Amino acid sequence: MRKLLSLRHWRSTFALIFRVLRSKDVSLADKLLFGVPVLVYWVMPDALPMLPVDDIAVTMIIAEWFARRMEKKYNIS
């Protein structure tokens, strides 16, 4: 829990995501695996009004999952 509240952790997570999204070695399908769900949730939050999770929380959850998945898959550090 402490790690998830650390600004250093989130800075490195989003820096990793930025490197992955700019990398030519990462396939477009993998890049869309992050972008599409985040964009859909940011554009259509009213479609799920009973979901009590904020847009930024969903983005951060998906970002954490995506960063770790791409780090393992493409050996990016």
Side-chain angles (χ1 to χ4, degrees):
M1 180 70 175
R2 176 174 250 170
K3 180 176 106 171
L4 293 177
L5 297 176
S6 167
L7 290 177
R8 183 178 298 153
H9 168 73
W10 288 109
R11 183 181 60 204
S12 66
T13 298
F14 283 107
L16 175 62
I17 289 172
F18 185 71
R19 285 195 313 266
V20 166
L21 293 177
R22 289 184 42 107
S23 176
K24 294 178 182 172
D25 298 330
V26 178
S27 70
L28 180 62
D30 285 334
K31 292 177 184 179
L32 290 176
L33 188 62
F34 173 70
V36 171
V38 169
L39 284 174
V40 166
Y41 195 82
W42 277 74
V43 172
M44 296 179 44
D46 296 329
L48 304 168
M50 297 299 185
L51 191 63
V53 181
D54 190 32
D55 299 349
I56 193 68
V58 170
T59 302
M60 292 174 80
I61 290 167
I62 293 173
E64 179 70 25
W65 170 79
F66 178 76
R68 299 306 147 221
R69 183 176 186 274
M70 293 298 114
E71 191 174 40
K72 290 177 186 174
K73 184 174 182 177
Y74 291 102
N75 259 345
I76 299 171
S77 56

